[in-house]
Amino acid sequence: QVQLVESGGGLVQAGGSLRLSCAASGRTFSNYAMGWFRQAPGREREFVAAISWSGASTYYADSVKGRFTISRDNAKNTVYLQMNSLKPEDTAIYRCAFCRAYRASSAFSNYYSDYGTYDYWGQGTQVTVSS
């Protein structure tokens, strides 16, 4: 059973930064891609970013490209989401997700942005950006 615990959310002014962390346990972290999704009130879940199992490839939603950076530390079983130049429209609950496929080899961003690619999800951390 995989457990994912997010942290790092909070309230920040527009233009500010936050770094989210997601600590994983229960499966060999270094063999699986990881993703971040978000959901704002009244809106559908939205892909934010993903990182391949090796860390060599990253994928981003157009809305966050150039502002957010996903990274992983396999020694700490943790994936991070550095969020800079935050905007009020970034306000949402952010959840990390664990890819269901061992060493997923897809090079297509659509694979990583599909929430069906992931089989475990964290509880989420609230990010609120004030204008």
Side-chain angles (χ1 to χ4, degrees):
Q1 185 78 5
V2 171
Q3 290 190 325
L4 300 171
V5 180
E6 300 100 336
S7 61
L11 173 63
V12 64
Q13 288 189 331
S17 299
L18 284 173
R19 189 176 82 152
L20 305 184
S21 300
C22 171
S25 62
R27 191 185 280 175
T28 306
F29 177 79
S30 58
N31 288 324
Y32 294 86
M34 297 291 296
W36 284 97
F37 289 73
R38 67 187 182 186
Q39 188 165 18
R43 300 188 64 177
E44 293 187 356
R45 179 170 34 186
E46 175 188 22
F47 169 73
V48 177
I51 186 166
S52 62
W53 67 270
S54 67
S57 299
T58 55
Y59 307 86
Y60 297 94
D62 288 342
S63 58
V64 307
K65 204 170 291 184
R67 300 188 298 122
F68 291 11
T69 302
I70 188 171
S71 61
R72 64 190 299 156
D73 184 339
N74 288 339
K76 295 182 178 179
N77 288 354
T78 300
V79 62
Y80 303 98
L81 185 68
Q82 177 67 44
M83 305 186 296
N84 298 330
S85 302
L86 282 162
K87 304 175 182 180
E89 51 263 43
D90 294 319
T91 295
I93 295 175
Y94 285 70
R95 301 174 72 188
C96 63
F98 207 107
C99 181
R100 66 176 69 245
Y102 175 83
R103 294 194 176 187
S105 59
S106 175
F108 295 99
S109 60
N110 286 352
Y111 174 81
Y112 297 97
S113 63
D114 181 353
Y115 62 79
T117 293
Y118 306 90
D119 57 353
Y120 289 99
W121 297 78
Q123 294 280 14
T125 185
Q126 177 70 47
V127 171
T128 303
V129 184
S130 63
S131 56

